[in-house]
């Protein structure tokens, strides 16, 4: 089967006079199947935006190749461009002086979709995104959340098969973020589009994406399913409820030997810990016994992607 | 390149222009009033200084020169400012993503702009002619090709300025000055050898003959027409070359959306 996206050895070096060159992306390889929804994670400056822009052709890569549905973007730019659309960083890439409906109309035409073909779907998107009754209001008069939705709708309206969303939920309140996630999930499921979504909000990625690619300093450090990644930590995340509280010095002793220790004072006193190896369970029970505390309950804690991400970034667990 | 795609992109750019013209109707109106007032000042000032000399030939020259300057300014600023503005609001990157490619997006946008500015320019010309009582001969068959060949250079400058602005964000202020340099090009005396090769200069003189003296385009010296078309094409080509280089540089340095 043809891959929706095939990136090989992609490298981007920014050279500026009088400054050291910045290697933003180094030798990245990435394959995305049609219909996959992939989350792109990584700390600030990891190279997510640069990767996306190189794929889109907005930046010229220093090395490597990109194929979109089998077509090399350097050689078949127009064909590749037809398959792709994007929301780039926030709501900056729609026309604020035009209405939501006008923006959708403009960007579909720009993509080569005639008006009569675009209109029914544009209408539906406006409905689905809850913009229908404000579709004739100038975008600048809309709330930030609505603007963001217009930007996402514009990217989807072209019906491109491969959609890039660079931080689509940036600056949205929790409710709007949840709503946008639900919409993306539903659209991905019902239309089978391929989506690459970057975000700093782990909850968004955990919610929307099946697979996650984590970048750090220009490299891909993890490429796995969200489920696998969570499972990796699930088996090792434990929660001990101590019925008699926590004696002095226990916290320090735990921290010396184990990683990911969190203390939650209260009744009962709860100690959370992520064990590096399964055998460490014996060791921690030994430490607790030696400290003379009574263990009320032991439970396996549900880790979330955020914790998995933070630990991976600290170099733990891989 | 597929015709359906190009048709869609043309419609997109035309639609955008019409909507913007409607939203910015006040700005359009006020800039037209400014252009008109500047002309009036020039006219009254010129008459006070030069007295009766400005009647007849001098006045026609002034009107034609001003007309060319206005069209050149329309073309130049439309192209340069559109690029700068769209880079600022972040839509430039989206235009680059069009399957038609940025070149066609720009060509169609400017084609629309040309039609639009031609409408505005005609209104301004009418107002100026009514004010001065100087009625020029508007022989469209002669005027339109000459005007296009003359302002081709303005598109060249617009491309250069827009391209440079993509890479060097801070030189925008310098572009304001260029519009006064245009005045210099237009007014450079005809007896200097280099004048005819300057942008707008020869075109303005030929247009003066056509609009003032009623000469038809085919009655003009072939060598003049040749120089006009060749220099117009050269300035335009230079603009395209500079723009292509700057675009490449901007994509290399990742500057298309950075502001
Ligand atoms: N146009 C540019 N010129 C020079 N360096 C750049 C440019 N764009 C990005 N960089 C550098 O490249 C590296 C990767 O940046 P990039 O924006 O791709 O990271 P990111 O993962 O998207 O980060 P964030 O999460 O902050 O959006 C950074 O060190 C950044 O400073
Ligand atoms: Mg980024």
């Amino acid at each position: 089967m043809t891959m929706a996206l095939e990136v090989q050895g992609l490298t981007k070096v920014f050279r500026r006079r009088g400054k050291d060159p910045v290697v933003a992306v180094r030798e990245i390889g990435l394959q995305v199947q049609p219909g996959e929804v992939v989350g792109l994670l990584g700390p600030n400056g990891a190279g997510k935006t640069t990767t996306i822009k190189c794929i889109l052709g907005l930046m010229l890569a220093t090395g490597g190749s990109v194929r979109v549905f089998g077509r090399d973007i350097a050689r078949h730019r127009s064909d590749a461009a037809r398959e792709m659309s994007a929301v780039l960083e926030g709501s900056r890439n729609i026309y604020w002086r035009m209405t939501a409906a006008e923006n959708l109309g403009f960007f579909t035409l720009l993509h080569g979709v005639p008006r009569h073909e675009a209109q029914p779907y544009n209408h539906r998107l406006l409905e689905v995104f809850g913009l229908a009754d404000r579709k004739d209001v100038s975008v600048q008069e809309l709330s930030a959340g609505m603007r963001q939705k217009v930007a996402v709708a514009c990217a989807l309206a072209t019906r491109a098969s491969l959609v890039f969303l660079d931080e689509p939920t940036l600056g949205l309140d929790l409710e709007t973020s949840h709503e946008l996630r639900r919409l993306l999930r539903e659209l991905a499921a019902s239309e089978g589009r391929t989506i690459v979504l970057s975000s700093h909000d782990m909850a968004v990625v955990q919610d929307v994406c099946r697979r996650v690619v984590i970048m750090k300093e220009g490299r891909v450090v993890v490429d796995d399913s969200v489920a696998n990644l969570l499972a990796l930590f699930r088996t090792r995340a434990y929660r001990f409820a101590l019925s008699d509280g926590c004696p002095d010095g226990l916290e320090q002793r735990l921290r010396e030997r184990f990683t990911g220790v969190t203390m939650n004072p209260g009744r009962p006193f709860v100690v959370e810990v992520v064990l590096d190896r399964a055998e460490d369970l014996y060791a921690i029970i030994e430490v607790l016994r030696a400290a003379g505390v009574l263990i009320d309950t032991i439970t396996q804690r549900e880790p979330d992607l955020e914790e998995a991400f933070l630990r991976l970034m600290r170099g733990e667990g891989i | 390149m597929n015709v359906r795609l190009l048709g869609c992109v043309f419609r997109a750019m035309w639609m955008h222009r019409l909507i913007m013209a409607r939203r910015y109707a006040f700005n359009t109106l006020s800039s037209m009033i400014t252009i008109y007032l500047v002309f009036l000042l020039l006219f009254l000032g010129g008459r006070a200084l030069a007295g009766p000399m400005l009647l007849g030939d001098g006045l026609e020259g002034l009107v034609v020169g001003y007309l060319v300057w206005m069209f050149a300014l329309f073309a130049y600023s439309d192209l340069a400012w559109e690029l700068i503005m769209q880079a600022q609001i972040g839509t430039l990157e989206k235009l680059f993503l069009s399957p038609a490619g940025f070149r066609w997006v720009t060509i169609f946008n400017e084609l629309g702009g040309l039609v639009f500015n031609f409408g505005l320019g005609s209104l301004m010309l009418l107002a100026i002619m009514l004010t001065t009582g100087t009625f020029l001969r508007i022989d469209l068959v002669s005027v339109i090709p000459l005007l296009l060949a003359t302002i081709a250079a303005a598109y060249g400058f617009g491309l250069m300025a827009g391209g440079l602005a993509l890479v060097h964000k801070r030189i925008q202020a310098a572009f304001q000055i260029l519009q006064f340099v245009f005045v210099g090009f237009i007014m450079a005396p005809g007896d200097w050898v280099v004048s005819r090769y300057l942008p707008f200069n020869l075109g303005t003189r030929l247009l003066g003959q056509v609009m003032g003296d009623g000469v038809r385009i085919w009655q003009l010296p072939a060598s003049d027409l040749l120089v006009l078309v060749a220099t117009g094409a050269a300035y335009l080509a230079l603009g395209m070359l500079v723009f292509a280089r700057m675009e490449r540089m901007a994509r290399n340095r990742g500057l298309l959306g950075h502001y």
Side-chain angles (χ1 to χ4, degrees):
Chain A
M1 186 166 51
T2 345
M3 292 284 171
L5 176 65
E6 217 175 342
V7 176
Q8 277 176 353
L10 186 74
T11 300
K12 178 66 189 169
V13 183
F14 290 107
R15 287 196 181 79
R16 272 183 296 183
R17 237 171 294 148
K19 290 189 189 153
D20 287 338
V22 178
V23 186
V25 173
R26 32 188 122 209
E27 300 267 331
I28 276 196
L30 189 63
Q31 296 197 330
V32 181
Q33 305 263 8
E36 257 192 310
V37 181
V38 180
L40 195 53
L41 290 179
N44 290 125
K48 306 179 295 290
T49 300
T50 305
T51 303
I52 291 175
K53 289 193 176 176
C54 284
I55 295 170
L56 289 167
L58 295 173
M59 285 182 187
L60 294 175
T62 313
S65 69
V66 176
R67 283 172 175 277
V68 174
F69 289 95
R71 295 190 188 92
D72 192 300
I73 57 156
R75 259 174 290 161
H76 305 278
R77 173 139 179 71
S78 178
D79 290 335
R82 233 174 212 288
E83 304 281 2
M84 296 192 282
S85 69
V87 173
L88 306 156
E89 295 177 308
S91 49
R92 286 173 63 243
N93 42 34
I94 51 175
Y95 292 98
W96 287 34
R97 298 301 298 252
M98 302 206 302
T99 69
E102 286 166 349
N103 268 291
L104 285 170
F106 175 81
F107 284 113
T108 41
L109 276 174
L110 187 70
H111 201 81
V113 187
R115 194 182 296 258
H116 61 274
E117 277 177 33
Q119 217 139 40
Y121 188 67
N122 287 357
H123 247 83
R124 203 174 83 79
L125 277 178
L126 288 169
E127 290 284 345
V128 170
F129 278 70
L131 294 161
D133 53 338
R134 311 219 63 195
K135 70 178 167 43
D136 296 321
V137 177
S138 174
V139 167
Q140 71 183 346
E141 289 166 42
L142 299 176
S143 69
M146 284 185 148
R147 260 182 241 144
Q148 197 88 331
K149 285 194 217 163
V150 176
V152 175
C154 283
L156 295 171
T158 60
R159 277 181 276 190
S161 331
L162 177 57
V163 183
F164 293 90
L165 305 171
D166 199 357
E167 306 199 27
T169 55
L170 188 72
L172 297 187
D173 66 30
L174 214 56
E175 199 180 333
T176 317
S177 167
H178 271 285
E179 198 190 334
L180 191 59
R181 287 182 222 173
R182 181 179 55 75
L183 290 169
L184 288 175
R185 228 172 23 227
E186 285 171 5
L187 281 170
S190 64
E191 298 182 353
R193 294 218 227 178
T194 317
I195 299 179
V196 176
L197 175 154
S198 98
S199 181
H200 284 289
D201 188 344
M202 307 300 152
V204 173
V205 174
Q206 187 169 355
D207 219 15
V208 180
C209 306
R210 281 276 201 79
R211 179 177 149 203
V212 58
V213 171
I214 303 182
M215 290 184 69
K216 188 184 178 185
E217 290 164 14
R219 290 197 177 85
V220 171
V221 290
V222 174
D223 184 348
D224 206 343
S225 71
V226 172
N228 277 351
L229 210 58
L230 293 178
L232 187 66
F233 290 95
R234 176 175 297 119
T235 49
R236 307 206 211 125
Y238 291 91
R239 169 194 287 264
F240 299 86
L242 311 178
S243 44
D244 293 340
C246 175
D248 290 342
L250 177 61
E251 178 173 355
Q252 203 199 337
R253 252 168 288 150
L254 287 173
R255 286 198 191 283
E256 278 166 9
R257 294 201 48 186
F258 307 101
T259 50
V261 176
T262 28
M263 313 293 277
N264 304 298
R267 298 212 62 94
F269 193 100
V270 175
V271 175
E272 291 178 338
V273 65
V274 181
L275 303 178
D276 290 337
R277 291 162 303 157
E279 310 88 275
D280 285 348
L281 186 57
Y282 300 124
I284 190 168
I285 289 177
E286 190 53 40
V287 172
L288 292 174
R289 199 186 62 80
V293 296
L294 277 178
I295 301 172
D296 201 19
T297 52
I298 304 179
T299 40
Q300 271 196 330
R301 195 163 47 85
E302 274 302 312
D304 56 14
L305 193 58
E306 178 150 358
E307 168 147 8
F309 174 75
L310 288 174
R311 292 175 52 77
L312 286 168
M313 284 302 114
R314 280 191 238 112
E316 300 164 17
I318 34 174
Chain B
M1 187 63 57
N2 130 15
V3 177
R4 198 174 89 136
L5 171 61
L6 292 183
C8 286
V9 173
F10 179 72
R11 242 167 297 155
M13 299 322 286
W14 181 242
M15 163 194 159
H16 176 247
R17 186 168 288 274
L18 286 186
I19 292 170
M20 286 304 168
R22 225 180 310 139
R23 300 287 136 84
Y24 288 97
F26 183 76
N27 298 43
T28 313
L29 198 70
S30 62
S31 69
M32 283 181 61
I33 291 175
T34 312
I35 289 179
Y36 177 73
L37 289 178
V38 168
F39 177 79
L40 213 61
L41 232 81
L42 213 68
F43 172 63
L44 296 173
R47 200 164 57 178
L49 283 177
M53 260 193 22
L54 204 64
L55 294 173
D57 265 9
L59 187 56
E60 278 160 6
L62 183 69
V63 173
V64 172
Y66 197 75
L67 190 72
V68 169
W69 184 68
M70 185 175 70
F71 271 110
L73 212 58
F74 278 157
Y76 161 75
S77 58
D78 200 83
L79 196 48
W81 286 117
E82 190 81 352
L83 276 164
I84 291 168
M85 199 240 339
Q86 302 234 23
Q88 272 168 350
I89 62 175
T91 44
L92 189 70
E93 290 184 309
K94 290 288 271 277
L95 298 182
F96 267 91
L97 291 182
S98 171
F102 188 68
R103 181 167 310 168
W104 282 104
V105 170
T106 307
I107 290 173
F108 287 147
N109 193 34
E110 290 316 309
L111 226 56
L114 201 63
V115 172
F116 205 80
N117 290 336
F118 203 77
L120 289 186
S122 306
L123 280 177
M124 300 295 300
L125 179 62
L126 191 70
I128 288 173
M129 288 196 305
L130 286 173
T131 314
T132 59
T134 311
F135 287 91
L136 299 170
R137 269 167 263 235
I138 319 287
D139 162 21
L140 287 181
V141 177
S142 301
V143 169
I144 289 179
L146 282 178
L147 195 59
L148 286 181
T150 307
I151 62 171
Y155 286 107
F157 283 107
L159 281 171
M160 274 181 242
L164 286 168
L166 278 183
V167 175
H168 309 281
K169 309 290 180 189
R170 265 169 301 199
I171 59 171
Q172 287 170 27
F175 299 156
Q176 304 270 19
I177 298 169
L178 212 58
Q179 49 186 287
F180 301 106
V181 178
F182 284 4
V183 178
F185 288 151
I186 292 171
M187 303 216 318
D191 46 7
W192 293 0
V193 189
V194 290
S195 290
R196 57 198 278 121
Y197 303 108
L198 290 176
F200 319 126
N201 188 287
L202 180 60
T204 306
R205 251 174 301 130
L206 296 182
L207 275 166
Q209 289 177 31
V210 166
M211 297 175 87
D213 310 332
V215 179
R216 316 293 310 259
I217 190 168
W218 52 87
Q219 296 168 330
L220 291 168
S223 63
D224 281 354
L225 290 177
L226 195 69
V227 170
L228 177 68
V229 170
T231 50
Y235 287 114
L236 185 60
L238 186 67
M240 281 159 57
L241 206 75
V242 170
F243 185 81
R245 279 199 66 122
M246 291 296 137
E247 180 207 314
R248 214 179 160 74
M249 205 179 276
R251 286 208 286 157
N252 247 323
R253 299 193 196 167
L255 297 173
L256 289 185
H258 248 238
Y259 244 87

